[in-house]
């Protein structure tokens, strides 16, 4: 791979990895390629967001009742269009669409995959030039043929065949897994290619960063409050107090903790029993990635990937990151029950 230039592009890498799936016909590879092309287009617009009239609120509400930014709309259109014309995807579940988008084209009729996607996550960061991301999850369809149906998306996270995220930050990265480890690619703008920069990513078993919106402290379950206090107590042996780092952009907070070791938490609160984040296109894909990297993802009581979904936009509390940190917060959740004070 990349013997001539010393660089391995995402395209080369995907082709080389096809041998991991001896009976595969290259459909998943083409699907990943379609996603990466859309990501490059979104990246181009993100980079010039401050220059053109694409920045800021559009004045609409998305299906979750939150304000939609223009870039969200743009990113949603790009991914839907790339997946619709690629021929490998028969339906999309997007944070921006209330219902699934079934793909009706002739070439997609026998497509085997569906994609759940948050096209532009952390959109409140757009206006301030902070990192934002795309998060995606790929499943094999369970319906026989034609446009995807709801049942194709109501599969546990354990059934994902691939998942990934793109982080549009100081550089743009695409990180993905097909269940055989995690690999990260950085976009080289000079050649317009994602290049392998982070092969076989492994999250430290233990870290010293915790990421949570502490402004909501009052509303957290007792177990989470105890864990936050634990993080803040001075203890030389365990390298505490830990550092608190929170961008408020899931892909970016997750990415930092994946590399450095740490935990990201979005718990249930007194006003939202299931927290904020969505199972299908935010939590499941990152849970798949973190497990593949040796980490752990939990809703506080059970493995995220084992949750049986019942709705497209359902939410779940999320504790994700270094294995031992997630395990400890789970222990405290259990000890102090799920009581919200
Ligand atoms: P969004 O999909 O509306 O952008 O919300 C998801 C984002 C995550 O990226 C981030 O971690 C979280 O919401 C931040 O929420 P809060 O502002 O409540 O801390
Ligand atoms: Mg989101």
């Amino acid at each position: 791979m990349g013997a001539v230039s010393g660089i391995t592009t995402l395209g080369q890498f995907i082709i080389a990895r096809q041998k991991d799936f001896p009976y595969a016909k290259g459909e998943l590879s083409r699907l990943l390629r379609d996603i990466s092309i859309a990501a490059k287009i979104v990246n181009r617009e993100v980079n010039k967001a401050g220059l053109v009239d694409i920045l800021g609120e559009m004045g609409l509400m998305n299906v979750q009742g939150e304000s939609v930014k223009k870039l969200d709309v743009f990113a949603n259109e790009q991914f839907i269009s790339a997946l619709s014309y690629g021929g490998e995807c028969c339906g999309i579940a997007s944070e921006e669409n209330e219902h699934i988008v079934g793909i009706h084209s002739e070439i997609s009729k026998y497509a085997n995959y569906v994609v759940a996607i948050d096209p532009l996550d952390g959109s409140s960061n757009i206006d301030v030039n902070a990192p934002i991301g795309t998060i995606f999850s790929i499943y094999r369809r369970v319906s026989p043929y034609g446009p995807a149906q709801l049942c194709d998306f109501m599969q546990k996270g354990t059934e994902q065949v691939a998942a990934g995220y793109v982080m549009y930050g100081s550089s743009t990265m695409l990180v993905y897994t097909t269940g055989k480890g995690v690999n990260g690619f950085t976009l080289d703008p000079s050649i317009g290619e994602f290049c392998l920069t982070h092969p076989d990513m492994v999250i430290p078993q233990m870290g010293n960063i915790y990421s949570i919106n502490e402004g909501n402290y009052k509303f957290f379950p007792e177990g989470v409050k105890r864990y936050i206090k634990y993080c803040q107590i001075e203890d030389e042996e365990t390298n505490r107090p830990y550092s608190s780092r929170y961008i408020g952009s899931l892909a970016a907070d997750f990415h930092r903790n994946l590399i450095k070791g740490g935990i990201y938490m979005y718990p249930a609160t007194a006003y939202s029993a299931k927290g904020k984040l969505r199972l299908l296109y935010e939590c499941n894909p990152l849970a798949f990635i973190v497990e593949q990297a040796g980490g752990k993802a939990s809703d506080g009581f059970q493995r995220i990937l084992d949750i049986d979904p019942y709705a497209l936009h359902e939410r779940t509390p999320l504790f994700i990151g270094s294995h031992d940190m997630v395990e400890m917060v789970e222990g405290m959740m259990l000890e102090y029950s799920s009581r919200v004070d």
Side-chain angles (χ1 to χ4, degrees):
M1 275 191 292
V4 179
S5 59
I7 290 173
T8 301
T9 67
L10 177 62
Q12 292 168 332
F13 184 85
I14 288 172
I15 291 167
R17 283 298 168 102
Q18 251 179 255
K19 68 174 176 352
D20 289 344
F21 306 92
Y23 302 107
K25 290 178 266 170
E27 298 163 310
L28 184 59
S29 301
R30 287 193 288 275
L31 190 54
L32 287 166
R33 178 208 57 196
D34 295 340
I35 290 173
S36 75
I37 291 169
K40 284 189 215 173
I41 296 170
V42 171
N43 177 64
R44 188 188 64 201
E45 296 307 308
V46 167
N47 279 339
K48 63 184 189 196
L51 298 171
V52 290
D53 185 31
I54 203 162
L55 182 70
E57 309 262 345
M58 201 175 174
L60 299 171
M61 292 288 186
N62 70 10
V63 292
Q64 322 284 338
E66 298 148 345
S67 62
V68 175
K69 313 275 178 167
K70 285 181 185 177
L71 266 177
D72 298 33
V73 176
F74 179 83
N76 195 35
E77 287 169 359
Q78 288 306 315
F79 284 104
I80 289 177
S81 153
L83 293 167
S84 300
Y85 295 111
E88 308 299 350
C89 177
C90 61
I92 302 152
S94 165
E95 180 177 339
E96 300 298 338
N97 297 89
E98 185 173 359
H99 303 292
I100 57 174
V101 180
I103 299 173
H104 291 264
S105 69
E106 199 51 37
I107 52 162
S108 303
K109 201 163 161 189
Y110 296 101
N112 282 315
Y113 294 101
V114 296
V115 176
I117 191 163
D118 185 349
L120 210 60
D121 182 67
S123 46
S124 63
N125 280 319
I126 297 172
D127 295 0
V128 295
N129 251 336
I132 43 186
T134 296
I135 309 173
F136 63 91
S137 168
I138 302 176
Y139 289 86
R140 201 162 240 285
R141 72 183 308 164
V142 291
S143 62
Y145 61 88
Q149 296 168 27
L150 187 60
C151 59
D152 295 318
F153 295 93
M154 296 296 101
Q155 302 188 54
K156 287 184 184 178
T158 47
E159 301 307 307
Q160 291 173 100
V161 294
Y165 63 88
V166 183
M167 195 191 59
Y168 312 95
S170 47
S171 60
T172 293
M173 279 199 72
L174 188 151
V175 175
Y176 84 99
T177 183
T178 53
K180 300 208 180 283
V182 180
N183 290 280
F185 300 79
T186 304
L187 184 64
D188 181 342
S190 66
I191 57 169
E193 294 279 2
F194 283 105
C195 300
L196 181 63
T197 48
H198 296 63
D200 298 318
M201 295 173 86
V202 174
I203 185 168
Q205 187 162 344
M206 187 68 199
N208 63 358
I209 295 172
Y210 71 103
S211 312
I212 189 167
N213 184 344
E214 238 169 307
N216 292 330
Y217 183 87
K218 184 172 180 293
F219 307 109
F220 291 153
E222 186 58 26
V224 175
K225 288 180 177 172
R226 299 281 174 141
Y227 183 71
I228 292 173
K229 285 294 158 224
Y230 170 86
C231 294
Q232 295 170 344
I233 289 166
E234 196 177 355
D235 179 51
E236 221 173 291
E237 202 180 315
T238 53
N239 205 11
R240 284 179 291 151
Y242 298 155
S243 291
S244 167
R245 295 279 182 274
Y246 190 70
I247 299 168
S249 180
L250 179 57
D253 280 309
F254 175 83
H255 183 73
R256 180 202 51 243
N257 293 351
L258 177 64
I259 289 176
K260 295 193 164 183
I263 184 171
Y264 172 97
M265 299 176 274
Y266 210 109
T269 60
Y271 50 84
S272 176
K274 292 195 151 238
K276 175 182 185 189
L277 302 176
R278 291 69 165 194
L279 176 64
L280 260 60
Y281 41 79
E282 292 176 329
C283 301
N284 267 339
L286 298 185
F288 189 20
I289 291 170
V290 87
E291 286 197 6
Q292 283 294 313
K296 194 169 162 70
S298 165
D299 71 354
F301 300 97
Q302 69 165 325
R303 186 183 176 212
I304 290 288
L305 296 181
D306 283 336
I307 298 174
D308 218 345
Y310 61 88
L312 221 46
H313 298 289
E314 76 182 82
R315 299 169 193 263
T316 175
L318 178 67
F319 302 86
I320 190 166
S322 291
H323 183 278
D324 292 358
M325 299 176 90
V326 176
E327 195 169 69
M328 177 170 282
V329 78
E330 269 186 330
M332 293 194 179
M333 289 293 284
L334 202 59
E335 190 176 345
Y336 297 100
S337 86
S338 57
R339 187 163 51 92
V340 176
D341 293 331

